[in-house]
Amino acid sequence: MGNVHELNHPLLQHKLSILRDKNTGVKEFREVVGEIAALMCYEATRDLPTEEVEIETPIAMAKCRCLAGKKLAIVPILRAGLGMVDTIISLIPSAKVGHIGLYRDPRTHEPVKYYCKMPPDISERRVFVVDPMLATGGSASDAITFIKEYGCKSITLMDIIAAPEGIARVQKDHPDVDIFVAAVDEKLNENAYIVPGLGDAGDRIFGTK
Ligand code: PRP
Ligand code: URA
């Protein structure tokens, strides 16, 4: 079973309270989503392997450690996942970016796929799937299934807010995937929105409501 890492860092809690506030405007919402993504990326990449390199500083030779092993890919689930990409690739500039377009059917709440474009060498990369919201888990589970069809073996999911139902769904469908979340909320409502959540992440990032 994949591990669930709930990151209760004070900075994340503070920034989450800004996202949850219905009076937070688009500009600040978008900025804070990016800031949270960067903080979460710091934790989710804690186990990346490193190798020793020798560097000449202006003073002396120094044994340092650089990233080693598998290269990385970031895969946002469109649209809202896009809000997490820029700050993550500013920390990991060599990461490639794949895109999966999914929207939830408003009646059934089932994900509908409309776009998929992956880097050609995605199967050799460690993949971080990013999306602010894990509600029923249908979108994340389908996205991970699509990515596995490319031969990817190492996949991590990063969501800002998760419902217990979404975590359970991903753990059942993809027991090999670790999940990083900033908060696990109480439940889903009758429209499959997370309670208390933050509303519709895509609409709040892109100002479409
Ligand atoms: C939201 C969110 C997730 C999905 C979560 O996207 O960004 O992708 O819902 O719900 P689930 O866990 O029940 O599948 P949405 O479908 O609203 O599309 P958008 O990002 O384009 O707004
Ligand atoms: N998608 C969102 O954007 N918010 C929710 O609460 C659930 C799904």
Side-chain angles (χ1 to χ4, degrees):
M1 182 71 73
N3 291 317
V4 180
H5 306 262
E6 187 179 358
L7 310 174
N8 283 313
H9 194 286
L11 290 177
L12 283 172
Q13 289 177 351
H14 178 84
K15 289 176 190 299
L16 256 176
S17 72
I18 298 171
L19 292 190
R20 290 189 192 279
D21 187 339
K22 68 175 186 181
N23 295 312
T24 299
V26 171
K27 177 175 181 289
E28 190 179 13
F29 190 91
R30 197 182 288 146
E31 286 168 358
V32 174
V33 165
E35 290 166 4
I36 290 177
L39 291 168
M40 293 187 70
C41 171
Y42 181 79
E43 280 301 328
T45 54
R46 189 173 278 284
D47 67 340
L48 290 182
T50 58
E51 63 190 1
E52 190 174 282
V53 290
E54 217 175 2
I55 301 285
E56 188 174 0
T57 79
I59 308 297
M61 296 305 292
K63 289 190 191 331
C64 303
R65 300 208 70 83
C66 285
L67 289 176
K70 273 191 182 188
K71 295 185 177 134
L72 308 183
I74 314 302
V75 179
I77 302 178
L78 309 185
R79 290 174 301 164
L82 284 176
M84 299 173 72
V85 173
D86 285 358
T87 53
I88 296 178
I89 53 175
S90 73
L91 294 175
I92 313 170
S94 62
K96 292 200 175 162
V97 181
H99 294 85
I100 293 184
L102 294 174
Y103 70 87
R104 289 201 318 177
D105 181 289
R107 198 176 47 81
T108 64
H109 309 134
E110 287 298 316
V112 181
K113 183 176 165 197
Y114 60 88
Y115 188 74
C116 189
K117 182 84 179 173
M118 292 294 146
D121 60 352
I122 187 87
S123 64
E124 295 149 35
R125 290 178 177 263
R126 176 158 171 196
V127 177
F128 291 83
V129 178
V130 300
D131 190 335
M133 309 304 277
L134 181 65
T136 65
S139 302
S141 179
D142 281 11
I144 293 167
T145 300
F146 299 140
I147 293 166
K148 285 183 174 172
E149 284 168 5
Y150 286 81
C152 294
K153 302 244 167 353
S154 177
I155 301 173
T156 301
L157 176 65
M158 281 173 54
D159 290 280
I160 296 179
I161 299 181
E165 294 89 332
I167 290 175
R169 167 82 186 264
V170 173
Q171 285 193 312
K172 175 172 155 288
D173 294 353
H174 301 289
D176 53 318
V177 169
D178 277 358
I179 306 173
F180 285 79
V181 294
V184 180
D185 275 10
E186 198 186 322
K187 60 178 182 182
L188 297 176
N189 69 12
E190 61 283 7
N191 297 316
Y193 273 81
I194 299 175
V195 180
L198 51 71
D200 189 303
D203 283 343
R204 295 196 66 189
I205 291 171
F206 296 108
T208 41
K209 211 168 227 169

